[in-house]
Amino acid sequence: MKNIERLANVALLGLSLAPLVVNVDPNVNVMVTACLTVFVGCCRSVKPTPPSETMSSEHAMRFPLVGSAMLLSLFLLFKFLSKDLVNALLTCYFFVLGIAALSATLLPAIKRFLPKKWNDDLIIWRLPYFRSVEIEFTRSQIVASIPGTIFCVWYAKQKHWLANNVLGLAFCIQGIEMLSLGSFKTGAILLAGLFVYDIFWVFFTPVMVSVAKSFDAPIKLLFPIADAKRPFSMLGLGDIVIPGIFVALALRFDVSRGKEPQYFKSAFLGYTFGLALTIFVMNWFQAAQPALLYIVPAVIGFLAVHCLWNGDVKPLLEFDEGKTKGAEEADAKESKKVE
């Protein structure tokens, strides 16, 4: 899938830049950009070892509650404090986070042109006066951070929608690449919880829409519209990352069985269908819609139907990346003992 992944990267870059020179239908832009981002993130998540950050069932159950607390806190901050002050603090935070995300996203492309020693040799730096705190990095990561820093400086100064989108896409790709649900059971718990979360905060309170409009940071993708009153169409990064890590899990499940990515295709098709349905309903009612209301049932439904059809319910429910990782580490230790 490497060649397809490269094509997807080129297409994503081209689509991001296209509105600068031509009018691109925002509905098409939202659809294709989100789907390409999920595809690229899923491909990058397939590695010899599972993603480093694995979510447990307990974390999945608490996630909607933690997310609700954070969302409400932001709403109150914007309500009682200066909007400019809050956004200035958020800009500083996302400036640092953006350098890390953009550098990590660019690193695989940059590594190919650098000496192997620069990619492999770790440099350990200890904080002054806090010698116990160690930071590990390679020369390649330093090189990758240079364009990342320059780009984030441009974002902080101009707040251009393109800079916002590039950082947002980097966050999405890194999130899908680095996060793991561990198992489909955990994934179902997380998606079900956020399904309710999205419906409640969009339909029953003004909080979600208010924060999205006030929050001047790359937590959403902006798609230009030829309308002075409403210049941008928006898509939250959560509507890409949350379903994306579930779709990525389906791809790694296929890879673990040594088979063609059949369940990845059904989960990805479910995401595409759910997003298309979101856009259709949004345009029909001319009102903001909780995207996870449509995406979650579509992703889980398409995967479940395909799984039932093939009779693979038991292997899919028993799949656990955490156990796989633990078994690999145990085998490695055992091999060292034998040696």
Side-chain angles (χ1 to χ4, degrees):
M1 296 178 70
K2 282 295 179 185
N3 290 332
I4 301 176
E5 183 188 346
R6 291 192 187 99
L7 286 173
N9 278 309
V10 172
L12 190 58
L13 177 62
L15 190 59
S16 299
L17 296 172
L20 293 172
V21 291
V22 295
N23 289 328
V24 181
D25 184 272
N27 295 324
V28 174
N29 204 347
V30 169
M31 272 291 302
V32 181
T33 298
C35 291
L36 285 172
T37 305
V38 169
F39 182 83
V40 170
C42 290
C43 291
R44 289 175 60 127
S45 76
V46 178
K47 301 175 181 178
T49 56
S52 54
E53 300 295 330
T54 302
M55 185 178 290
S56 65
S57 298
E58 291 76 15
H59 290 145
M61 286 186 279
R62 287 199 297 264
F63 194 89
L65 298 176
V66 174
S68 296
M70 291 182 65
L71 183 66
L72 189 57
S73 299
L74 285 169
F75 177 75
L76 294 174
L77 281 174
F78 282 116
K79 189 175 181 65
F80 295 108
L81 295 179
S82 166
K83 182 178 175 181
D84 292 337
L85 174 62
V86 175
N87 278 318
L89 293 173
L90 291 171
T91 297
C92 295
Y93 173 74
F94 280 98
F95 178 83
V96 177
L97 201 63
I99 293 173
L102 197 55
S103 301
T105 304
L106 294 172
L107 186 59
I110 291 174
K111 283 171 67 173
R112 292 183 293 169
F113 302 100
L114 297 176
K116 189 176 185 298
K117 190 176 180 180
W118 286 29
N119 299 328
D120 298 336
D121 291 353
L122 278 177
I123 300 170
I124 300 175
W125 181 68
R126 291 181 174 84
L127 286 176
Y129 308 109
F130 299 94
R131 307 296 292 177
S132 59
V133 179
E134 295 182 350
I135 300 175
E136 296 182 350
F137 54 89
T138 63
R139 291 181 180 87
S140 298
Q141 288 173 322
I142 295 174
V143 173
S145 69
I146 295 171
T149 303
I150 294 171
F151 192 89
C152 287
V153 168
W154 177 52
Y155 162 75
K157 285 186 174 182
Q158 301 295 327
K159 292 295 184 73
H160 195 277
W161 64 263
L162 176 60
N164 174 91
N165 285 5
V166 170
L167 289 178
L169 292 173
F171 291 143
C172 288
I173 291 170
Q174 286 303 301
I176 297 171
E177 178 183 355
M178 302 304 296
L179 295 175
S180 169
L181 293 167
S183 67
F184 287 99
K185 293 177 184 177
T186 301
I189 292 170
L190 178 67
L191 263 63
L194 290 175
F195 172 81
V196 176
Y197 161 92
D198 219 22
I199 293 172
F200 175 77
W201 289 111
V202 173
F203 282 153
F204 296 98
T205 75
V207 173
M208 180 79 80
V209 176
S210 176
V211 170
K213 290 179 178 179
S214 302
F215 208 122
D216 188 12
I219 61 160
K220 57 186 180 290
L221 299 183
L222 303 173
F223 302 93
I225 301 175
D227 185 348
K229 293 182 180 178
R230 192 169 66 97
F232 295 104
S233 178
M234 297 184 294
L235 179 68
L237 301 192
D239 299 327
I240 299 175
V241 176
I242 298 301
I245 56 178
F246 189 86
V247 177
L249 184 66
L251 177 59
R252 294 195 298 277
F253 173 66
D254 289 330
V255 172
S256 71
R257 304 175 79 203
K259 296 185 177 181
E260 288 294 314
Q262 53 177 339
Y263 292 119
F264 164 70
K265 291 177 180 177
S266 57
F268 185 75
L269 183 61
Y271 178 78
T272 305
F273 176 80
L275 186 59
L277 186 59
T278 303
I279 294 170
F280 173 78
V281 175
M282 181 183 69
N283 285 309
W284 182 270
F285 290 103
Q286 290 294 304
Q289 296 294 315
L292 295 183
L293 168 63
Y294 309 98
I295 293 173
V296 167
V299 171
I300 294 178
F302 275 58
L303 181 65
V305 169
H306 192 180
C307 187
L308 286 167
W309 181 268
N310 288 346
D312 282 333
V313 176
K314 188 176 179 181
L316 186 133
L317 292 178
E318 289 178 347
F319 179 67
D320 192 325
E321 285 191 308
K323 291 179 181 178
T324 303
K325 186 178 180 181
E328 288 175 354
E329 289 175 351
D331 291 341
K333 290 179 181 177
E334 193 64 32
S335 299
K336 287 181 180 178
K337 287 180 182 178
V338 172
E339 291 173 0

